[in-house]
Amino acid sequence: MTRIRSAHRRGIRLASATVLASVVALVAAGCSAAAAPAPSPTELSGISTAKVEALFQQGAADLHMPGAFLLLETPDGEFSSSYGATQIGGETPPAAGTHIRVGSNTKTWTGTVILQLAEEGKLKLDDPVSRFRSDVPNGENITIRMLLDMRSGLYNYTEDPGLAAAMDANPQRVWAPAELIKVGLSQPPYFAPDQGYHYSNTNTAILGTIIEQLENKSLHDVFQERLFNPLGMSDTLFPVATDADLPRPLSHGYSFGTNVGTLNAPALDASQLQDFYAGLLAPDDHTFDNPSWAYAAGAGISTAHDLAIWAKALANGTLLDPAYQAQRTQFQKVSPTAPSNAATYGLALANFGGYYGHTGELPGYNSFVASNPKTGVTLVVWANLAPTGDGKDPATTIARSIIESVG
């Protein structure tokens, strides 16, 4: 059984970001044995690490996570915290180098390459998508920019019940991008181009095919050459569809229910939820489900350590020139009625109250990745049960509580 509800299917929820971490072991001079780890700092850039630790540990416990990890980085130093284990019944704690599926954080990779191609003159952000694909209905009025900022109106293929049923029937199926896009284009649009906002994986899947068309390379190779290698993200990859297993060390990922059953109602029903809280209901292991259905919108793999590197590059525009970073960060409300503290969205990038990044969820994995370009504070949180029994995105929920409490 599998679940496709998430930032992938549902859209981005409010959260925020703060920072990355690791504990440094000191080696005594002239001695063969390592000294005890250095004690964690009690405060970093005005942030109480004890408070962050308490919020993280309590949040993971309250949400009944098998395992979770937090990585915090500030200009003054780093802090990390681990909860539970990488596998139910196991003893290995999550770590900064544990591989997870990052879900919709992959969208920021796709968006960054599209912006690089615009810098290089290989496309324009206001090009109609019909320049690259003749199969997109009304494609002459849908621009590359609208695909990036989720204002195309195109139907989100991961909301399709037929796709959900097919994934339930065969979680190991290898999906071709053309199959996914066909599902998205077969349904009526939500609205006319640029007349609203609707988070749609169809947008990002189309952008992925445009990248491969212009570069004449797979996304696996393009991301490696343009993003991961320049930034030194050696534990990050966009897997090929036929070989998408997680590298070791890895965290297993757990979820409840089926795609069809949870398409519109991610939470367990009342009796199931009671059993879950009592420890009588075990989730399903989705670690080795094939994520090719997420393609350019969410099939990526990384670690907390590498995601912190990526968050800082996103916030600072490291891989873009200033003009395109400025366009990318022209954030807009996702709804006219959205509250003032709600996340806003730019060009394949979200703004969580001054922290730039994204959230991601695949069956069994939820991650929050963001950095504040003004303060230099970066926060990465991931969890290995997604969503929670009551339908929450755990990493996003924990990150929000930290940001709201410590600023």
Side-chain angles (χ1 to χ4, degrees):
M1 294 184 290
T2 338
R3 185 193 295 270
I4 57 177
R5 173 219 172 262
S6 71
H8 252 313
R9 185 172 66 78
R10 293 269 179 172
I12 296 177
R13 301 189 178 200
L14 173 65
S16 300
T18 52
V19 204
L20 130 68
S22 64
V23 177
V24 180
L26 301 178
V27 179
C31 297
S32 58
S40 297
T42 58
E43 185 174 292
L44 293 172
S45 299
I47 297 171
S48 166
T49 56
K51 189 170 186 178
V52 171
E53 167 79 356
L55 288 166
F56 170 70
Q57 294 289 332
Q58 189 62 56
D62 289 346
L63 294 168
H64 297 265
M65 290 298 102
F69 189 77
L70 175 145
L71 191 53
L72 174 72
E73 184 179 279
T74 80
D76 289 346
E78 304 174 347
F79 171 78
S80 66
S81 183
S82 181
Y83 177 89
T86 58
Q87 185 173 6
I88 292 176
E91 298 180 354
T92 303
T98 302
H99 292 87
I100 60 165
R101 302 196 189 278
V102 303
S104 286
N105 285 294
T106 310
K107 287 182 174 67
T108 61
W109 304 348
T110 303
T112 299
V113 172
I114 287 289
L115 291 166
Q116 289 178 336
L117 294 174
E119 286 183 12
E120 296 162 13
K122 296 179 180 178
L123 57 77
K124 296 178 181 177
L125 296 183
D126 294 318
D127 279 342
V129 70
S130 58
R131 175 187 166 189
F132 306 98
R133 295 190 63 113
S134 61
D135 58 336
V136 178
N138 204 17
E140 66 276 9
N141 294 311
I142 297 173
T143 66
I144 298 298
R145 189 186 302 273
M146 293 174 200
L147 298 176
L148 286 167
D149 65 11
M150 302 296 176
R151 295 178 184 273
S152 73
L154 293 175
Y155 178 80
N156 181 6
Y157 70 82
T158 54
E159 294 180 10
D160 182 73
L163 179 78
M167 291 174 60
D168 287 337
N170 183 8
Q172 297 301 322
R173 176 171 170 174
V174 176
W175 291 85
E179 295 178 288
L180 306 171
I181 293 170
K182 184 178 180 180
V183 172
L185 301 184
S186 68
Q187 300 293 334
Y190 301 110
F191 45 77
D194 207 28
Q195 296 303 302
Y197 171 96
H198 191 98
Y199 192 84
S200 175
N201 293 306
T202 306
N203 293 332
T204 315
I206 290 172
L207 291 172
T209 64
I210 291 172
I211 291 172
E212 292 185 326
Q213 175 186 335
L214 292 177
E215 293 288 87
N216 195 28
K217 294 177 182 177
S218 69
L219 283 185
H220 170 89
D221 291 339
V222 172
F223 288 163
Q224 199 69 44
E225 294 169 9
R226 285 181 171 268
L227 309 179
F228 310 149
N229 288 346
L231 292 174
M233 296 169 61
S234 58
D235 288 320
T236 301
L237 72 150
F238 184 84
V240 297
T242 55
D243 184 18
D245 281 353
L246 287 161
R248 271 63 172 176
L250 62 84
S251 175
H252 285 244
Y254 300 93
S255 189
F256 293 99
T258 66
N259 287 309
V260 172
T262 60
L263 193 60
N264 296 309
L268 297 169
D269 64 34
S271 62
Q272 290 176 318
L273 191 58
Q274 186 175 4
D275 287 344
F276 169 61
Y277 288 147
L280 303 176
L281 183 66
D284 299 318
D285 191 332
H286 293 284
T287 308
F288 301 108
D289 290 359
N290 190 299
S292 56
W293 61 269
Y295 180 50
I301 294 169
S302 191
T303 66
H305 174 267
D306 277 9
L307 289 171
I309 295 172
W310 179 246
K312 287 180 286 185
L314 281 176
N316 299 326
T318 304
L319 298 177
L320 299 174
D321 70 28
Y324 279 92
Q325 178 70 356
Q327 291 192 65
R328 184 172 209 176
T329 54
Q330 292 176 358
F331 299 106
Q332 303 179 65
K333 283 188 174 183
V334 301
S335 166
T337 59
S340 59
N341 65 342
T344 53
Y345 208 73
L347 301 183
L349 186 67
N351 181 359
F352 308 99
Y355 289 85
Y356 298 174
H358 220 283
T359 62
E361 187 175 326
L362 285 178
Y365 300 94
N366 180 221
S367 53
F368 177 91
V369 179
S371 183
N372 189 317
K374 293 183 178 180
T375 65
V377 174
T378 302
L379 180 66
V380 175
V381 180
W382 64 254
N384 63 4
L385 172 68
T388 64
D390 56 358
K392 293 187 177 75
D393 298 324
T396 303
T397 300
I398 292 169
R400 182 195 302 118
S401 72
I402 291 171
I403 296 308
E404 290 176 348
S405 297
V406 304

